[in-house]
Amino acid sequence: MDVTVQLSNKSIAVPHPYYPQTIHLPHYVRNETAVFSLIAQFGFLWAAVVGIAFVAIRRIRPTASRSDQIAFTWMCLTGFIHLFFEAYFVVNHETLASSQGLFGQLWKEYSLSDSRYLTSDAFVICMEAITAFAWGFLAFYIAYCIAVEHPARYALQLIISVGQVYGDVLYYATSLLDVSYCRPEGYYFWFYYFFFNFIWMVVGCYYIKQSVVEISRVFRKVAEGDALRKGK
């Protein structure tokens, strides 16, 4: 559709595919790269990070359990997405609508499911800033803790997982009651908006449970040891 934007004494029509159709995106430029190519390139980056991380943990800690190998790989992947992809949005949100870089075009494609990413929405910027710079760095540090079997691993894993789940809950809650930010096609809502974010909900809940179980087990052993010493 055409959105009319007032510039000085002139009105120009700026076509864009985002909802609500009344939002003004005077700097919007249509993506140069086809959607399939964008998703394929991003998928290749994911696969490369996963592959490198898996090889790294096998070499650094050959005796690591399969569970720890998966956790190390996940932390590297989520750290990469937070610290590079989401940080790109935080740094470039004001000019995102005209970007033709890979990450810029990917964000414009995702914004078809949530146009707040192109309008510098305050909540989205704050949420993504915390996710990028707090959880991004922390994810890589947790991967290091897994590699060297550092005792802080589960406590830090609990913190980042709660933060990710809480961020997703807030993200869903601030828009599910008003889906006007998303195009009407179900594909954008269920695949882009719901599925891609739900991954962190599921994985985050799993690692919350794992962390609580492991921390509880350690405290139980300490309590049992204290009881034995007192018994003597």
Side-chain angles (χ1 to χ4, degrees), residues 19-134:
Y19 275 62
Q21 297 177 327
T22 54
I23 62 174
H24 290 177
L25 299 174
H27 304 300
Y28 171 72
V29 177
R30 188 181 301 275
N31 280 347
E32 295 176 345
T33 308
V35 175
F36 179 80
S37 179
L38 287 173
I39 296 176
Q41 290 179 65
F42 199 42
F44 176 79
L45 285 177
W46 281 39
V49 172
V50 168
I52 293 171
F54 187 73
V55 170
I57 188 61
R58 298 267 298 193
R59 292 188 176 183
I60 296 170
R61 189 181 154 199
T63 58
S65 65
R66 180 55 60 88
S67 176
D68 281 358
Q69 291 176 5
I70 294 174
F72 177 88
T73 301
W74 166 255
M75 289 302 167
C76 288
L77 177 61
T78 194
F80 170 80
I81 294 172
H82 291 337
L83 195 54
F84 294 97
F85 183 59
E86 292 176 272
Y88 179 93
F89 162 76
V90 176
V91 174
N92 298 283
H93 66 90
E94 292 182 343
T95 59
L96 201 62
S98 61
S99 175
Q100 292 296 349
L102 174 60
F103 284 178
Q105 291 189 74
L106 282 166
W107 275 116
K108 283 194 286 182
E109 177 64 20
Y110 177 77
S111 295
L112 292 169
S113 71
D114 190 345
S115 63
R116 292 178 298 172
Y117 281 88
L118 295 186
T119 59
S120 296
D121 179 82
F123 167 76
V124 171
I125 294 173
C126 292
M127 179 197 68
E128 292 292 358
I130 294 171
T131 301
F133 300 114

Side-chain angles (χ1 to χ4, degrees), residues 155-195:
L156 296 177
Q157 184 176 280
L158 178 61
I159 292 172
I160 192 174
S161 298
V162 169
Q164 289 172 329
V165 171
Y166 181 62
D168 260 356
V169 170
L170 288 180
Y171 179 63
Y172 282 142
T174 55
S175 56
L176 278 178
L177 296 179
D178 183 5
V179 294
S180 62
Y181 301 113
C182 182
R183 286 190 57 84
E185 295 88 349
Y187 170 84
Y188 294 112
F189 179 82
W190 291 108
F191 189 58
Y192 284 9
Y193 176 83
F194 181 80
F195 175 72

